[in-house]
Amino acid sequence: MPASSEPPLRLVDTGADTSADPADAGDAVADVEPLVDEFLRVDAWGRSEPARALARALYDPVYRYWLRAEWEGLEHVPLDGGALLVANHGGAIPSDAPVVMHGIETELLRPVYGLAENLFRALPVIGTLWSRAGGVPAHPDNAYRLLHDDHQLVLVFPEGTKATGKLLRDRYQLRRFGRGGFVEIAMRAGVPVVPLAIVGNEEAMPILWKSARLAKLMGLPYFPITANQFVFGPVLGYVVPLPAKFRIRVLPPVTFDVEPGQARYNRGVVMEEAERIRARIQAEVDDMLRSRRSVWRG
Amino acid sequence: VRILVTGLGTFWGSRIAQQLEQRSDVELVVGVDTREPRLPLRRTEFVKADASYGILQRMVRATQVDTVLHTHLEADSTRASSRRLHEVNVIGTMNLLAAAAADGSSVRKVVLKTSTLVYGSNFDDPYFFRETTRRTHPATTPVERSLLEVDALVDDFAEDNPDVTVTSLRFANVLGDDVSTVFSRMLRMPVVPEVFGFDPRLQFVHDDDVTRALEHATVTEAPGTFNVAGPGTITWGEACRLVGRRRLAMPPLLTGTAAVPMRLLRIVDIPPEVLSLLRYGRGVDTDAFVAAGFEYGSTSLATVEAFARARRLERVVGAPPAYEYEHDVEDFFRNSHAVVRPEA
């Protein structure tokens, strides 16, 4: 049956248990083969635990020492059962998704399924790595299945590429929350929405200029020139974030007073709830910006 | 029950007929096809017909069957031109449903064997298609288009004939000891093709589960459309590893062009719908058919493992000889007084 419960997370130091076994030490071939095999074996969501452990190990220093992510109200993230995490989005290649996923996975030892732009899946190698590391295409069926059938944490950014394609001067001005689809999914699955307000994501990779023509030519949602490119060069400037201080504030969960499992919900109620959540996140972001003294030191 | 099986000459038609004729509650099995049956049958009657089944209305009236089992839908586009796909799938189904819906028809149940190809395979697909999930992009290949047309015909039929139970089974890629599919042919190659940079999630269904699913739908009441796929998913890389094959990457751009010389040189024919599967894969939700009382014998992983075991045996002792239908011999076993029959 699909993705029942995920195997317990293995955190960063997986090297110790494999090298400790003296029986394997002599046979170099047998040592390598199972490792390769393990990477091929993935769960029903296309995620590979060894690949995720490796990605966590590589990302941990970035999370801890470069972006220095700090959490508030982490107790609002439920320790079991499905919940939909909803956050504001920002940065040309946004760092907020990996920061939230890595943070919750290491602090609460709960896997987070980040729903992301499907475009990645169409790219060779990158698409495969992306899904091995934990990316799941943003389709309502996927969200519902993860929340309702598998009781998992799902992370969505309802603004989508409208938010990540913003110019620097528009930072922290939240865009429309889609068509409120995330509220409808949470209602149908009968799970709470946990809003997250994030600060730091916009300055980690700000867009100075973008070309609509090049974007159209390449079939991309936007084609940015980032501030990072002036620091790290034209290619790395799309990969390496600037060391902006990340703060994430978790707001109390929002529950809906409706019957779960319905095919459709009242559009007006859905839009109203979506707008209310958006406004709350905007207010928290504004509040966090008011108390922020420095982009880099927080 | 009196059963009419279409496509008796296909592997599945023969297999399900063999299965059904062993049941004591099955009174009669009649099969139609353009070709001879592929397996020895004990009491199934075989009638030769043209591909579009113009003869069906007369047959249904003459035999008074109450159940029609439509196994003659072609989902393997390497076996038929797009014209023939249309003829077999769309026109064949149309004639079949017309026969079943005729005035005074005795038909009370129609079971179809169709394919999860109707969902397509694309980058923005959900990971598990439910029976009600719509495909994300319009169909572009002839086989997908013809199967979607069949779906529409079946929906209309079910709406117009509320007293007839209509069950449509959508099967995932089949792997089995003696059935040849695009995937089994690829996995038999010395190096298995893949698309560079992609390792899709796939599902396979064991050939025994295919026959059991068809039998389940035939003998129980399960109206509606159901996905049938081995529970769980398996990546193409993992499947190749289990079968013990190395992979050879095809270019991610112009993959279709790269497949042409492979077809012309008769190395392997990979149709476009399978090329997109090798890129994005497909998963379907299997809960609905389980809720309808079906129990799977094999997961997707177990199906590939069973296939790998059969390949290892085959490499040592060779493939078993194919069955040849011979009229005289079949006639002897079916009608001669010399044959001792258990029921008699």
Side-chain angles (χ1 to χ4, degrees):
Chain A
M1 241 49 285
S4 47
S5 60
E6 172 128 338
L9 279 175
R10 265 182 300 163
L11 293 178
V12 191
D13 54 340
T14 46
D17 45 20
T18 45
S19 57
D21 194 350
D24 286 351
D27 198 353
V29 182
D31 239 352
V32 176
E33 288 271 57
L35 186 73
V36 175
D37 293 352
E38 281 234 344
F39 275 92
L40 285 176
R41 189 161 285 188
V42 303
D43 70 4
W45 294 96
R47 295 154 60 111
S48 147
E49 269 320 304
R52 281 162 53 67
L54 183 67
R56 271 197 295 274
L58 293 175
Y59 196 71
D60 198 62
V62 178
Y63 173 85
R64 223 170 277 283
Y65 303 114
W66 191 250
L67 302 174
R68 293 151 293 140
E70 257 180 60
W71 290 77
E72 276 174 70
L74 206 54
E75 69 279 3
H76 292 313
V77 178
L79 291 175
D80 47 37
L84 185 59
L85 311 175
V86 171
N88 60 310
H89 211 15
I93 305 291
S95 285
D96 41 23
V99 163
V100 170
M101 287 172 72
H102 186 84
I104 292 180
E105 292 187 2
T106 49
E107 311 268 351
L108 300 181
L109 306 185
R110 261 202 93 170
V112 178
Y113 289 76
L115 298 192
E117 182 58 42
N118 311 314
L119 215 63
F120 285 113
R121 239 183 124 200
L123 301 173
V125 184
I126 295 170
T128 308
L129 290 177
W130 174 75
S131 68
R132 292 296 171 270
V136 172
H139 188 286
D141 271 24
N142 284 343
Y144 178 80
R145 192 183 187 87
L146 282 165
L147 291 168
H148 181 264
D149 299 5
D150 296 356
H151 311 288
Q152 298 288 356
L153 289 180
V154 175
L155 170 67
V156 292
F157 298 94
E159 299 165 272
T161 53
K162 291 191 300 298
T164 51
K166 287 198 303 274
L167 291 172
L168 179 62
R169 62 163 183 265
D170 297 323
R171 63 189 183 277
Y172 299 117
Q173 293 170 33
L174 269 63
R175 296 312 197 218
R176 177 165 56 83
F177 264 24
R179 285 164 285 179
F182 74 98
V183 170
E184 202 163 1
I185 295 287
M187 286 176 166
R188 192 174 301 140
V191 300
V193 164
V194 181
L196 310 176
I198 305 176
V199 161
N201 50 1
E202 301 274 17
E203 287 92 355
M205 197 176 289
I207 300 180
L208 301 180
W209 179 81
K210 53 184 180 175
S211 162
R213 195 173 295 172
L214 275 174
K216 199 172 176 188
L217 199 71
M218 299 174 74
L220 297 170
Y222 51 91
F223 184 90
I225 297 299
T226 65
N228 308 47
Q229 289 177 303
F230 292 92
V231 183
F232 304 115
V235 178
L236 279 179
Y238 284 131
V239 183
V240 184
L242 296 174
K245 169 83 178 173
F246 263 71
R247 286 190 188 280
I248 304 118
R249 187 177 288 174
V250 187
L251 311 182
V254 179
T255 51
F256 305 104
D257 188 22
V258 291
E259 189 70 26
Q262 293 174 39
R264 256 193 293 280
Y265 289 89
N266 185 308
R267 201 100 289 266
V269 175
V270 168
M271 293 305 285
E272 197 181 316
E273 292 284 1
E275 178 50 33
R276 192 174 299 157
I277 291 168
R278 193 195 75 88
R280 274 186 66 188
I281 295 177
Q282 178 75 70
E284 287 305 319
V285 166
D286 291 348
D287 183 59
M288 289 160 82
L289 290 174
R290 263 193 289 270
S291 53
R292 182 170 77 163
R293 288 169 193 280
S294 152
V295 169
W296 317 112
R297 276 174 284 115
Chain B
V1 272
R2 300 166 71 85
I3 301 173
L4 174 79
V5 180
T6 69
L8 196 66
T10 65
F11 176 77
W12 301 114
S14 301
R15 272 287 288 273
I16 186 64
Q18 220 177 24
Q19 194 81 16
L20 289 171
E21 65 181 11
Q22 283 169 23
R23 295 181 68 106
S24 53
D25 55 345
V26 174
E27 196 183 324
L28 167 85
V29 185
V30 197
V32 280
D33 204 320
T34 53
R35 297 149 296 179
E36 327 264 60
R38 293 267 293 270
L39 300 166
L41 296 168
R42 215 147 38 79
R43 62 186 175 107
T44 302
E45 307 277 348
F46 166 55
V47 182
K48 227 171 172 160
D50 62 304
S52 54
Y53 288 137
I55 190 186
L56 273 176
Q57 197 150 337
R58 269 177 69 196
M59 271 196 63
V60 168
R61 204 176 309 135
T63 54
Q64 290 289 304
V65 290
D66 47 41
T67 302
V68 175
L69 186 50
H70 191 26
T71 70
H72 197 204
L73 286 174
E74 187 59 81
D76 182 350
S77 66
T78 63
R79 292 171 191 279
S81 63
S82 60
R83 202 194 161 94
R84 206 183 129 69
L85 281 172
H86 180 80
E87 202 67 20
V88 168
N89 289 352
V90 182
I91 308 298
T93 307
M94 216 169 75
N95 282 329
L96 178 81
L97 296 178
D103 272 347
S105 161
S106 51
V107 176
R108 286 294 158 265
K109 185 186 282 181
V110 176
V111 178
L112 290 99
K113 177 187 172 294
T114 169
S115 162
T116 52
L117 280 176
V118 295
Y119 298 115
S121 170
N122 225 306
F123 70 95
D124 45 2
D125 283 353
Y127 273 7
F128 295 93
F129 277 102
R130 286 167 203 273
E131 286 78 358
T132 47
T133 313
R134 256 182 281 168
R135 52 183 296 153
T136 52
H137 297 259
T140 50
T141 63
V143 62
E144 290 180 4
R145 275 205 300 264
S146 72
L147 290 175
L148 285 169
E149 272 191 70
V150 168
D151 262 8
L153 289 172
V154 171
D155 287 349
D156 288 350
F157 174 84
E159 196 176 314
D160 297 345
N161 300 273
D163 51 334
V164 179
T165 308
V166 181
T167 309
S168 202
L169 301 182
R170 292 174 175 163
F171 289 93
N173 312 302
V174 183
L175 273 187
D177 297 356
D178 31 35
V179 57
S180 168
T181 62
V182 179
F183 277 95
S184 77
R185 288 196 287 277
M186 287 196 291
L187 285 173
R188 276 167 204 270
M189 292 171 66
V191 277
V192 180
E194 65 166 358
V195 180
F196 175 80
F198 291 95
D199 192 11
R201 300 155 58 257
L202 296 167
Q203 286 176 322
F204 295 97
V205 53
H206 194 284
D207 58 349
D208 288 342
D209 276 345
V210 177
T211 8
R212 287 180 51 243
L214 287 170
E215 188 182 354
H216 181 80
T218 309
V219 299
T220 61
E221 285 293 301
T225 302
F226 301 98
N227 295 328
V228 186
T233 57
I234 180 171
T235 62
W236 185 230
E238 169 88 347
C240 295
R241 188 188 66 80
L242 286 174
V243 182
R245 289 287 189 262
R246 287 192 185 283
R247 286 171 287 161
L248 181 71
M250 300 169 72
L253 291 170
L254 301 172
T255 319
T257 317
V260 172
M262 290 166 71
R263 186 183 73 224
L264 294 178
L265 293 171
R266 309 215 166 214
I267 300 169
V268 69
D269 185 357
I270 314 176
E273 62 273 10
V274 176
L275 284 178
S276 55
L277 270 181
L278 288 183
R279 201 174 277 258
Y280 305 118
R282 184 193 302 124
V284 296
D285 183 298
T286 52
D287 292 351
F289 203 42
V290 172
F294 183 70
E295 278 174 41
Y296 283 96
S298 312
T299 61
S300 283
L301 178 69
T303 303
V304 177
E305 280 171 343
F307 181 79
R309 276 195 299 276
R311 285 295 67 67
R312 281 185 224 122
L313 175 68
E314 193 185 288
R315 278 204 285 279
V316 179
V317 302
Y323 166 79
E324 297 258 351
Y325 186 88
E326 283 178 56
H327 267 290
D328 297 346
V329 179
E330 287 302 321
D331 202 42
F332 168 78
F333 280 110
R334 206 160 306 171
N335 300 322
S336 170
H337 295 295
V339 175
V340 182
R341 295 182 184 82
E343 293 101 318

